Amino acid sequence: MATVEFQGISFDIDEDGFLQRFEDWCPEWVEYVKESEGIKDLTDEHQKVLDFLQDYYKKNGIAPMVRILSKVTGFKLKHIYELFPSGPGKGACKMAGLPKPTGCV
Amino acid sequence: MAFISAGYDPKHPMQDRITDIGPRKYDEFYPPVIAKNKGKWLYHEIIEPGMLMHKAESGDEVYTVRAGTARLCSVTYIREICDIADKYCGGHVRWTTRNNVEFMVEDLETAKALKEDLNNRKFDGGSHKFPVGGTGAGITNIVHTQGWVHCHTPATDASGTVKVVMDDLFEEFGAHNMPAPIRISMACCLNMCGAVHCSDIAILGYHRKPPIIDHEYLDNLCEIPLAVAACPMGAIRPSKHEMPDGKTVKSVAIKNERCMFCGNCYTMCPSLPLSDKEGDGLVIMAGGKISNRISNPKFSKVVVAFIPNEPPRWPTLSKVIRQIVDAYRTDARKYERLGAWAERIGWERFFEKCGLEFSEHLIDDFRDPAYYTWRQTTNFKW
Ligand code: HEM
Ligand code: SF4
Ligand code: SF4
């Protein structure tokens, strides 16, 4: 486990750059991650995806299926990739502070 | 090594990005004789083990020399294959669905010279680099998985066990001694990447202990409902766990007496590791096939409940496989796949002829369909 410092805050992360604890998430985390995820400017649309992922995770204990993410945000998968070039898992979930996707990924 | 850029600009990751171009089209790589006679083949012959001849309507012939590979290979090895292809085949070569390599030439003399050349190439340790064979009613390459080389859920090693079994059955790779082809496959956990569930003989990595629960990290690293839903036995439930420092964390509890060590929950949740040096080992399955020839496709069935992991040479494993192969070769009829043989003589005879012990582990106890695997008849042999 590594620790990174950003704007005076330290985050514990794993080798893939996912937060080790959801509670450690804060807006600075998004600022810190966005460059490595190929995002220049954070828009309202980015924020909408991140907010939904966090709400869903808090309520259900899991990340939503891609179809649920699309349905609720109204963003087609193609648009989610435009927002988060690494995709909903590696990009959006990482920025939202959710645990790393598992299974045969 | 110092960093050398390929031209990718990390400041502008999406700039000049090429995507969705798919694989190169297969016909770009056809040898000329294949391109010319595509869709117009009349018949084929197996000239000798490892060598096929296809005859086209035009009268053209193509001779294919098939050689075994280790599947896991270095660039150096691939370059040697390319050198051989350059020398004999105009730079053309192909890989088979069982990871053998095939070189194609247009006349028998070249094919024979090629076969001899391939059979003479050896590694420093003495192993053949390109043993010719894998055709007809013999034993061809073993379809296998990642094992300890790269995966995080294995209960055994793939490359190691496969090398051991192929060493032991090496003569059969370059011969046609069997009643029908024997397909051996290997998977290092019961995710069964590959073909173990539908092979004549299958080697499968198997755990015998329930997962260890890392309560401290579980809620941070795992989506708990996914771990619960991963379990085929309903052995996992969400729970609260009190840590030594008095803090209560969200975690899971596992009913060990319900767990049958599949490892699915670990696949979904990194805090439930279960691999274990003494616990882990191998299961052998037999009797599967995927072709429709005579009988329908079959699943392979468990015939050996446990063989310990014995790296690096897994002697018990190769002994057991040899027993099954020998019994089948001696007893089965021509064209009869291993599963068809076992079903004809009866599985009770299969165990007797192969000298395998039958234990309670082999009796299906998974849900309603288990019932159909028991014997609802008085038809059996003493
Ligand atoms: C407590 C006593 C018994 C129980 C619980 C019992 C139960 C059953 C059951 C569950 C079946 C299978 C029915 C099916 O295939 O759907 C069956 C079949 C049969 N039982 Fe019994 N049985 C009993 C006593 C007897 C006795 C005393 C006889 C004869 C004297 C008998 C003769 C048969 C026969 C001939 C069949 C076969 C019917 C067929 O071929 O479909 N049973 N029994
Ligand atoms: S069979 Fe299991 S352990 Fe082996 S490569 Fe597939 S998932 Fe990994
Ligand atoms: S190893 Fe398999 S059976 Fe055991 S608790 Fe995990 S998912 Fe359930």
Side-chain angles (χ1 to χ4, degrees), chain B residues 49 135-139 169 171-182 322 325 328-330 332:
Chain B
T135 51
I139 300 181
L169 298 172
E171 275 65 44
E172 307 306 341
F173 181 79
H176 298 149
N177 291 334
M178 300 293 152
I182 299 190
R322 166 65 67 181
V325 167
Y328 164 73
R329 179 182 48 201
T330 325

Side-chain angles (χ1 to χ4, degrees), chain A residues 15-32:
Chain A
E15 69 279 13
D16 295 314
F18 276 80
L19 267 188
Q20 292 291 84
R21 283 176 298 274
F22 182 62
E23 306 91 80
D24 292 354
W25 185 91
C26 56
E28 288 78 6
W29 170 250
V30 178
E31 285 303 314
Y32 169 71

Side-chain angles (χ1 to χ4, degrees), chain A residues 20-21 60-63 102-103, chain B residues 11 13 220-221 223 225-226 267-268:
Chain A
Q20 292 291 84
R21 283 176 298 274
N60 300 297
I62 58 175
T102 54
Chain B
K11 293 262 174 281
N220 294 321
L221 299 182
E223 303 167 59
L226 296 189
T267 298
M268 297 315 291

Side-chain angles (χ1 to χ4, degrees), chain A residues 30 33-53 69-70 72-96, chain B residues 13-14 17:
Chain A
V30 178
V33 177
K34 74 179 195 197
E35 195 196 331
S36 69
E37 290 306 321
I39 298 168
K40 266 221 147 54
D41 303 302
L42 220 65
T43 64
D44 289 351
E45 291 188 330
H46 288 104
Q47 198 57 49
K48 186 173 175 186
V49 171
L50 297 181
D51 288 347
F52 171 65
L53 289 176
L69 178 65
S70 277
V72 175
T73 57
F75 302 150
K76 292 219 159 69
L77 189 58
K78 182 167 179 291
H79 191 56
I80 293 175
Y81 270 91
E82 284 159 8
L83 296 170
F84 299 93
S86 327
K90 199 179 157 294
C93 283
K94 184 196 276 185
M95 287 181 102
Chain B
M14 303 304 275
R17 178 166 171 267

Side-chain angles (χ1 to χ4, degrees), chain B residues 16-29:
Chain B
D16 297 331
R17 178 166 171 267
I18 299 167
T19 167
D20 297 316
I21 55 170
R24 296 281 294 271
K25 194 167 178 232
Y26 46 87
D27 60 10
E28 288 176 46
F29 307 98

Side-chain angles (χ1 to χ4, degrees), chain B residues 211 230-233 235-236 254 258-265 274:
Chain B
C231 184
M233 304 304 292
I236 307 182
I254 295 180
R258 283 196 76 95
C259 172
M260 41 72 161
F261 333 120
C262 68
N264 269 354
C265 51
L274 78 164

Side-chain angles (χ1 to χ4, degrees), chain B residues 224-240:
Chain B
I224 289 175
L226 296 189
V228 171
C231 184
M233 304 304 292
I236 307 182
R237 64 190 153 82
S239 75
K240 300 252 189 283

Side-chain angles (χ1 to χ4, degrees), chain A residues 104, chain B residues 145-147 151-156 186-193:
Chain A
C104 297
Chain B
T145 53
Q146 305 183 56
C151 196
H152 70 301
T153 64
T156 187
M186 185 297 147
C188 38
C189 86
L190 43 60
N191 272 353
M192 298 193 179
C193 302

